[in-house]
Amino acid sequence: MADTKVSFKSRLIDFINRWRYVVALLFSILFGIVYIKGLVKSMRLSTADILTVSSIILGILGVFIGLLISMQSSLFFEKLKLFSTYSNHTTEENKFDAFKYLVSYLRNAFMKDVFFVAITVMIDFVPSGTNLYIKLPLIVFWTWLLLISLWEVFYSVDYIVKIALFEEPKSKRKTST
């Protein structure tokens, strides 16, 4: 039931993914303002919970990478090749490779999340009486990395599901005679 029209939700998700760094920065700055106003009780109290979430994210991304590497002769890969052919990224001059895109996206998300875990651990070592002008950029950057990590897992799952559910458009299917 693949339709050549792309749904609004799909276009919105792709748009946000394209601008994810800017969107995350805007929300991070907003969080920084909320922090300055004193509406956030303590960042230290949430670092253990955030580390747990990051560990789950790393696990999900690791599983996705492992599955993609090990399942290269599966039905999913047949759909992946078909998805690459009909992707809106494919032009006559440039053939889009959804496998390379997906594995690179997952690898980059994994590396960002490892960096995020390191920053989170460092936040625990920043003295609590640190000057606000030193702490605020760190908190904005930390929030930005958290939002990017969460978004990239969401987008990875959405992209994988999009591939798994993809069907060749009826007008392009080969008919047997």
Side-chain angles (χ1 to χ4, degrees), residues 47-65 106 109-110 113-114 116-117 146 149-150 152-154 156-157:
T47 56
D49 297 331
I50 296 297
L51 282 173
T52 301
V53 169
S54 293
S55 299
I56 292 168
I57 290 171
L58 285 171
I60 290 169
L61 294 172
V63 166
F64 283 163
I65 292 168
L106 290 170
F110 188 87
D113 200 52
V114 168
F116 175 72
V117 168
L146 171 64
S149 294
L150 292 172
E152 288 181 343
V153 168
F154 168 81
S156 298
V157 170

Side-chain angles (χ1 to χ4, degrees), residues 50-158:
I50 296 297
L51 282 173
T52 301
V53 169
S54 293
S55 299
I56 292 168
I57 290 171
L58 285 171
I60 290 169
L61 294 172
V63 166
F64 283 163
I65 292 168
L67 286 173
L68 282 174
I69 291 170
S70 66
M71 295 177 42
Q72 292 190 14
S73 62
S74 68
L75 176 62
F76 178 79
F77 267 85
E78 291 175 25
K79 287 193 174 213
L80 186 66
K81 290 174 189 169
L82 195 60
F83 184 82
S84 293
T85 304
Y86 292 103
S87 171
N88 57 358
H89 300 291
T90 299
T91 61
E92 288 183 26
E93 308 86 44
N94 182 20
K95 175 132 175 45
F96 177 67
D97 187 344
F99 176 73
K100 285 182 183 177
Y101 173 78
L102 186 56
V103 170
S104 296
Y105 193 90
L106 290 170
R107 180 201 63 216
N108 293 340
F110 188 87
M111 291 187 314
K112 284 178 202 147
D113 200 52
V114 168
F115 184 64
F116 175 72
V117 168
I119 295 290
T120 303
V121 170
M122 286 173 39
I123 284 177
D124 271 343
F125 294 111
V126 174
S128 57
T130 303
N131 184 337
L132 185 62
Y133 294 110
I134 295 172
K135 207 173 0 176
L136 186 60
L138 181 62
I139 287 171
V140 168
F141 182 64
W142 182 71
T143 306
W144 180 82
L145 272 175
L146 171 64
L147 293 173
I148 292 297
S149 294
L150 292 172
W151 174 260
E152 288 181 343
V153 168
F154 168 81
Y155 187 76
S156 298
V157 170
D158 182 67

Side-chain angles (χ1 to χ4, degrees), residues 36-47:
I36 288 173
K37 300 273 185 194
L39 300 173
V40 176
K41 290 185 180 187
S42 173
M43 296 299 292
R44 289 183 194 287
L45 296 176
S46 64
T47 56

